[in-house]
Amino acid sequence: MSGFQVRTDLALEARESITEAESELRGVRVDEYYQEQEDIRVTKVMIDTKNAAKAMGKPIGTYVTIEAPSLLEPDEDYHREISECLSGELMQMMGQEKEELSVLVVGLGNREVTADALGPQVVDNLFITRHIVKEYGSAAYNKKRMNLISSIEPGVMAKTGMETAEIIKGVVTETSPDMLIVIDALAARSTRRLNRTIQITNTGIQPGSGVGNHRNALTEESLGVPVIAIGVPTVVDAATIVGDALERIMETEKEFDRVKYMGNHRTAFAELNNMYMTGKDIDAVVKRVSYTLSEGINMALECQA
């Protein structure tokens, strides 16, 4: 990559960045299906070996990417279909081995920074049940069984003075959930995936990694319970935007390699690589997408019996 690296939180984009010589990388499996009627594409990237994880720059595990080009549109029916797709993929990843699960949902991010407010806004729309079930039992909801859902919005270190992982670990120790679902805003490598893509992974998450602001990881190893991470890319770095523009301008040139070009001119791109951009209507987008995510999570955690 000639010393230049475009940051991304999406495993699908990391897989796409593998060179042609490594295209048959051992230890990486990719399954894909397309829902034509709903215009939703689901890609599963499964990293099975340490060598593959090193090449991809991602931990061993499963990464599900839901690409929905119309996710930006204010179409309630379409967003309902996305929520149902998210619910199905989340239920497969959760496994539901117990009749009742205690699930802690964590909304990462800074509510006061619009592009980073996805996690807190998802938490706002969740169906929280733990306090009612512990007090009155599942009968309070007229059901034989009911998952215990709780949530937390840990904020950011600048406001709390504590690592997010420290706060969550304390809550996990006190409440003993069976599983964590962590929601965060991500960074993308491609502008076409901005606010149009949902990633679900069972590897946990390292908050801020997409923008180079590394915090302690939230994983099963660090917290002692399984961690499923859900994210939507809401920002891209400025270098990516320039690279996309160059690719369009020079698409008539044979064998134009954007990443190689950016690497060869990395000095010119260095400052851009530390600037992150988002759409002008990000406030409306985050509000809409956060509701879509919360509906998918609510459906996945709802007990039918």
Side-chain angles (χ1 to χ4, degrees), residues 87-212:
S87 173
E89 296 297 336
L90 183 55
M91 289 174 70
Q92 286 187 33
M93 196 166 286
M94 287 170 56
Q96 192 84 13
E97 295 179 357
K98 296 183 178 180
E99 284 196 359
E100 292 182 345
L101 285 175
S102 176
V103 181
L104 173 62
V105 184
V106 181
L108 297 177
N110 188 344
R111 185 181 289 273
E112 297 179 7
V113 178
T114 310
D116 196 33
L118 180 71
Q121 290 198 29
V122 169
V123 167
D124 288 345
N125 295 305
L126 291 177
F127 182 40
I128 304 301
T129 63
R130 182 177 181 271
H131 58 307
I132 301 296
V133 175
K134 288 184 72 69
E135 183 71 23
Y136 303 106
S138 301
Y141 295 100
N142 197 28
K143 293 186 177 182
K144 294 181 180 179
R145 62 187 180 91
M146 194 74 186
N147 289 328
L148 281 70
I149 315 302
S150 55
S151 69
I152 182 175
E153 179 190 332
V156 292
M157 182 182 287
K159 296 181 69 175
T160 66
M162 295 176 283
E163 279 275 3
T164 299
E166 293 175 327
I167 297 172
I168 296 172
K169 192 167 186 178
V171 175
V172 168
T173 300
E174 288 296 319
T175 62
S176 302
D178 299 311
M179 180 179 298
L180 261 68
I181 296 178
V182 181
I183 300 103
D184 197 11
L186 307 179
R189 175 181 176 271
S190 170
T191 52
R192 69 184 177 86
R193 290 199 172 98
L194 191 66
N195 303 317
R196 297 178 178 90
T197 305
I198 302 170
Q199 177 175 272
I200 316 166
T201 176
N202 59 4
T203 63
I205 193 170
Q206 184 166 324
S209 61
V211 295

Side-chain angles (χ1 to χ4, degrees), residues 6-268:
V6 179
R7 297 191 183 106
T8 178
D9 287 313
L10 300 178
L12 178 61
E13 292 184 333
R15 178 67 183 87
E16 291 172 346
S17 69
I18 299 295
T19 64
E20 289 185 7
E22 299 171 309
S23 61
E24 298 299 326
L25 182 65
R26 292 183 180 180
V28 177
R29 293 174 291 136
V30 180
D31 291 335
E32 182 181 62
Y33 68 89
Y34 178 62
Q35 300 177 9
E36 185 174 357
Q37 185 173 354
E38 295 83 8
D39 192 21
I40 298 174
R41 184 178 302 277
V42 179
T43 306
K44 296 183 181 181
V45 177
M46 292 150 283
I47 304 175
D48 299 325
T49 66
K50 290 182 178 180
N51 286 339
K54 184 177 180 180
M56 292 273 289
K58 302 290 179 184
I60 293 173
T62 300
Y63 301 80
V64 178
T65 305
I66 302 172
E67 295 180 89
S70 299
L71 188 58
L72 292 174
E73 303 299 324
D75 184 337
E76 292 185 6
D77 292 335
Y78 184 73
H79 279 258
R80 179 72 177 181
E81 291 167 351
I82 298 171
S83 294
E84 291 173 351
C85 180
L86 170 62
S87 173
E89 296 297 336
L90 183 55
M91 289 174 70
Q92 286 187 33
M93 196 166 286
M94 287 170 56
Q96 192 84 13
E97 295 179 357
K98 296 183 178 180
E99 284 196 359
E100 292 182 345
L101 285 175
S102 176
V103 181
L104 173 62
V105 184
V106 181
L108 297 177
N110 188 344
R111 185 181 289 273
E112 297 179 7
V113 178
T114 310
D116 196 33
L118 180 71
Q121 290 198 29
V122 169
V123 167
D124 288 345
N125 295 305
L126 291 177
F127 182 40
I128 304 301
T129 63
R130 182 177 181 271
H131 58 307
I132 301 296
V133 175
K134 288 184 72 69
E135 183 71 23
Y136 303 106
S138 301
Y141 295 100
N142 197 28
K143 293 186 177 182
K144 294 181 180 179
R145 62 187 180 91
M146 194 74 186
N147 289 328
L148 281 70
I149 315 302
S150 55
S151 69
I152 182 175
E153 179 190 332
V156 292
M157 182 182 287
K159 296 181 69 175
T160 66
M162 295 176 283
E163 279 275 3
T164 299
E166 293 175 327
I167 297 172
I168 296 172
K169 192 167 186 178
V171 175
V172 168
T173 300
E174 288 296 319
T175 62
S176 302
D178 299 311
M179 180 179 298
L180 261 68
I181 296 178
V182 181
I183 300 103
D184 197 11
L186 307 179
R189 175 181 176 271
S190 170
T191 52
R192 69 184 177 86
R193 290 199 172 98
L194 191 66
N195 303 317
R196 297 178 178 90
T197 305
I198 302 170
Q199 177 175 272
I200 316 166
T201 176
N202 59 4
T203 63
I205 193 170
Q206 184 166 324
S209 61
V211 295
N213 184 22
H214 297 278
R215 301 263 66 89
N216 289 345
L218 306 175
T219 64
E220 183 172 1
E221 290 73 20
S222 64
L223 297 173
V225 293
V227 180
I228 294 176
I230 302 174
V232 174
T234 59
V235 297
V236 294
D237 62 22
T240 293
I241 296 174
V242 174
D244 284 347
L246 281 171
E247 192 166 19
R248 291 189 182 97
I249 292 171
M250 303 182 69
E251 61 185 5
T252 57
E253 298 289 330
K254 292 183 178 180
E255 300 181 356
F256 173 70
D257 188 329
R258 179 182 67 169
V259 175
K260 183 177 180 180
Y261 179 89
M262 294 167 74
N264 291 338
H265 298 81
R266 57 184 177 275
T267 302

